[in-house]
Amino acid sequence: LAKTTQPISMDSYEGQEVNITCSHNNIATNDYITWYQQFPSQGPRFIIQGYKTKVTNEVASLFIPADRKSSTLSLPRVSLSDTAVYYCLVGDGQAGTALIFGKGTTLSVSS
Amino acid sequence: GAVVSQHPSWVICKSGTSVKIECRSLDFQATTMFWYRQFPKQSLMLMATSNEGSKATYEQGVEKDKFLINHASLTLSTLTVTSAHPEDSSFYICSAIQGTNEKLFFGSGTQLSVL
């Protein structure tokens, strides 16, 4: 299972763009990259998933370079409610294979 | 996205009693579900993988006789903490995979407090 490394914490202000980078040097050919958001005392919430290049949805963008050894979650114009822990996970695409959580990045957004 | 319902959200019990936590996939069939445990300010730790109709696969260090997992149908998995003790107090979270591209959907979690 690929291991991921993220910054432990990040600080930002409302309205700014936040980019959280995740390293996954041992990512396998079949691995997808998925990001989750977790608020205290809640289960993680799916944010975005990608395999290569760029993926965008209504809440975030995911940038994946050609070598796929890292990925960057981009949150445009963050608000106070984006204060949470963000996890980057990689998986081999096989149903039944568990995803292992790293330590995650605690994002604190201030006014 | 897919919905995973977990119940109860909070439970307090006396030491030595057993507690059952239910995890249901409401709008999709989940052949595989996962159970995680999370201590305060820590990441999620995988406890076991639950496969419908077969025995669960436990991670190293997780006591299978203490944490009983049953996955009797494609939409329901249960975790029973048997003879709970204060050190079992934790936040338990279930999840299920929709499809085959590792997109996990999580329940809202169960906070277990053992007195």
Side-chain angles (χ1 to χ4, degrees):
Chain A
L1 293 172
K3 181 179 178 180
T4 61
T5 303
Q6 304 172 233
I8 295 297
S9 63
M10 294 183 69
D11 297 315
S12 182
Y13 291 97
E14 284 188 291
Q16 290 188 334
E17 177 184 76
V18 171
N19 297 308
I20 306 175
T21 298
C22 177
S23 297
H24 27 80
N25 292 317
N26 297 321
I27 190 169
T29 303
N30 293 330
D31 283 347
Y32 284 83
I33 301 159
T34 313
W35 286 79
Y36 292 87
Q37 175 193 56
Q38 187 183 28
F39 297 111
S41 299
Q42 294 186 26
R45 183 175 72 99
F46 172 87
I47 301 175
I48 197 167
Q49 183 183 66
Y51 183 80
K52 62 180 179 181
T53 62
K54 176 183 176 182
V55 180
T56 298
N57 61 21
E58 62 275 11
V59 298
S61 294
L62 179 59
F63 299 92
I64 305 169
D67 65 5
R68 303 200 327 124
K69 293 184 181 299
S70 66
S71 60
T72 299
L73 173 72
S74 180
L75 304 173
R77 299 179 299 280
V78 296
S79 63
L80 296 176
S81 62
D82 292 316
T83 295
V85 180
Y86 292 82
Y87 294 98
C88 159
L89 285 79
V90 295
D92 65 6
Q94 296 297 316
T97 304
L99 289 179
I100 305 300
F101 280 76
K103 297 184 184 300
T105 298
T106 298
L107 172 65
S108 298
V109 181
S110 303
S111 58
Chain B
V3 178
V4 175
S5 174
Q6 187 172 342
H7 178 80
S9 57
W10 189 33
V11 58
I12 301 174
C13 70
K14 292 182 178 180
S15 184
T17 61
S18 295
V19 174
K20 179 184 284 188
I21 302 170
E22 291 188 350
C23 180
R24 295 180 183 273
S25 56
L26 297 185
D27 51 0
F28 67 101
Q29 293 184 330
T31 306
T32 303
M33 292 184 175
F34 305 99
W35 289 94
Y36 293 85
R37 179 168 54 182
Q38 186 175 33
F39 293 106
K41 297 192 182 299
Q42 294 187 22
S43 184
L44 284 76
M45 182 183 72
L46 179 67
M47 298 177 65
T49 300
S50 168
N51 295 297
E52 186 267 337
S54 63
K55 292 183 178 180
T57 302
Y58 291 83
E59 295 299 302
Q60 188 174 10
V62 178
E63 301 176 57
K64 62 180 181 181
D65 294 331
K66 181 169 188 62
F67 299 99
L68 300 180
I69 293 173
N70 183 276
H71 194 158
S73 76
L74 288 172
T75 59
L76 174 64
S77 177
T78 61
L79 167 67
T80 300
V81 183
T82 62
S83 186
H85 292 283
E87 57 266 29
D88 299 323
S89 297
S90 186
F91 191 56
Y92 293 86
I93 311 170
C94 72
S95 66
I97 284 183
Q98 182 189 39
T100 58
N101 61 355
E102 294 292 343
K103 187 180 294 185
L104 275 180
F105 292 93
F106 289 83
S108 55
T110 298
Q111 181 64 53
L112 170 64
S113 297
V114 185
L115 304 178

